[in-house]
Amino acid sequence: MPLHVAIIMDGNGRWARKKNLPRAAGHQAGFNTTRDIVEASAKRNIHALTLFAFSSENWARPEKEVGLLMDLFLRGLKSEVGKLSENNVRIRFIGERSAFSEKLQAEMASAEKTTVNNNGLKLAIAVNYGGRWDIVNAARHLAQQVKNKEIEPEQIDIQRFGHVLSLNDVPEPDLFIRTGGEKRISNYLLWQLAYTELYFTDVLYPDFDDAELDNAIAFYAGRQRRFGRTGEQVTGEDA
Ligand code: IPE
Ligand code: IPE
Ligand code: MG
């Protein structure tokens, strides 16, 4: 079983288009999928789930679409956090949140506070997130520590760098899923995906369900994770 799953939830717009519906309907349907996937992940004993909800590049969309995504986001937080917390889910947001409305920032902070002591599924939602932003932010943080004479430049290593990235409280994702058919990372978790198993499916996100999640998990179960070693080393045939 993958302990940490990271998903790019893509294909809402095309799903709506296929059905002759406005893009908003696609996002709403995607939201419903998310509710199911969070529940299904908790049931399958996945420890951490990281979802890409809004990228730093998504501001480039028409103002109307950005607005409705924000509305959906705000409504979603208001309606879901109570139940998620009852189900022991701990919620965190990663990304540059200062760009969001005060209201939304307050809801995000409140969701984190309400669920901070929960020890079930660790749900991270990436909003106004970009992998490059994350890395630059970490570099800036470390530079500041050097400037303050808290650390020496020589002390900056991979481990320390990883600690100042936004997903610093969970192991790196084991399984990455992108729905919607594109085979790209779109500036998602650039650092953390270094050794993640990548799964791409043509299924549009609103159609992604428990059975599709199980397909992705089955793909993962069939991989041999070698981390640079030989297959024989991994199976113990050549210790
Ligand atoms: C993903 O679906 C949702 C967000 C990026 C917020 P899209 O809206 O990108 O759907 P497509 O790619 O246009 O089908
Ligand atoms: C990636 O999807 C971001 C999210 C799912 C939030 P996009 O639909 O924005 O990705 P590109 O622009 O097609 O690469
Ligand atoms: Mg898309």
Side-chain angles (χ1 to χ4, degrees):
M1 270 315 268
L3 293 181
H4 181 183
V5 178
I7 308 182
I8 295 188
M9 313 182 286
D10 194 21
N12 294 349
R14 279 162 288 163
W15 181 89
R17 202 190 168 92
K18 259 178 42 184
K19 293 186 143 45
N20 264 318
L21 293 168
R23 289 181 65 85
H27 292 313
Q28 179 62 52
F31 174 80
N32 298 341
T33 295
T34 301
R35 197 189 283 140
D36 297 345
I37 292 304
V38 171
E39 198 184 313
S41 300
K43 273 206 188 111
R44 282 159 182 72
N45 230 351
I46 289 168
H47 293 188
L49 179 67
T50 301
L51 303 174
F52 206 4
F54 192 85
S55 77
S56 43
E57 288 73 26
N58 287 145
W59 295 109
R61 294 193 177 197
E63 208 174 304
K64 189 171 151 231
E65 177 160 347
V66 172
L68 73 87
L69 282 167
M70 296 299 145
D71 280 352
L72 185 60
F73 196 35
L74 194 59
R75 272 193 291 123
L77 280 174
K78 285 197 170 136
S79 67
E80 300 304 311
V81 171
K83 188 166 163 252
L84 287 170
S85 191
E86 273 170 35
N87 291 329
N88 207 14
V89 175
R90 198 200 62 181
I91 306 173
R92 260 191 81 191
F93 296 91
I94 59 169
E96 178 55 66
R97 56 178 97 179
S98 61
F100 295 116
S101 69
E102 299 275 324
K103 238 194 200 153
L104 201 43
Q105 288 186 53
E107 284 295 332
M108 287 192 255
S110 146
E112 288 176 334
K113 200 168 151 223
T114 307
T115 62
V116 69
N117 292 319
N118 292 349
N119 57 10
L121 179 73
K122 290 181 173 167
L123 175 65
I125 304 174
V127 286
N128 193 19
Y129 178 87
R132 288 174 174 169
W133 165 85
D134 203 359
I135 291 169
V136 167
N137 220 30
R140 190 182 298 146
H141 190 92
L142 292 169
Q144 192 63 50
Q145 289 186 338
V146 171
K147 191 177 167 200
N148 298 346
K149 306 226 181 291
E150 289 158 17
I151 56 167
E152 297 293 330
E154 296 72 29
Q155 287 176 277
I156 298 175
D157 56 15
I158 289 171
Q159 207 191 357
R160 190 180 286 270
F161 206 100
H163 279 314
V164 290
L165 289 163
S166 27
L167 266 186
N168 54 6
D169 60 339
V170 285
E172 286 165 12
D174 301 297
L175 171 63
F176 160 95
I177 299 171
R178 183 174 187 144
T179 62
E182 309 297 351
K183 292 189 175 62
R184 54 182 177 245
I185 304 291
S186 299
N187 199 17
Y188 197 27
L189 305 161
L190 298 180
W191 174 282
Q192 297 86 346
L193 294 178
Y195 257 108
T196 303
E197 301 299 331
L198 307 178
Y199 179 81
F200 298 93
T201 171
D202 288 336
V203 174
L204 301 171
Y205 188 64
D207 293 328
F208 192 79
D209 57 10
D210 285 28
E212 296 295 344
L213 179 64
D214 287 332
N215 287 341
I217 293 171
F219 157 86
Y220 175 81
R223 312 312 326 145
Q224 183 186 56
R225 304 192 77 190
R226 291 192 285 275
F227 298 101
R229 290 169 296 164
T230 68
E232 290 75 13
Q233 282 176 299
V234 175
T235 56
E237 285 162 53
D238 178 25

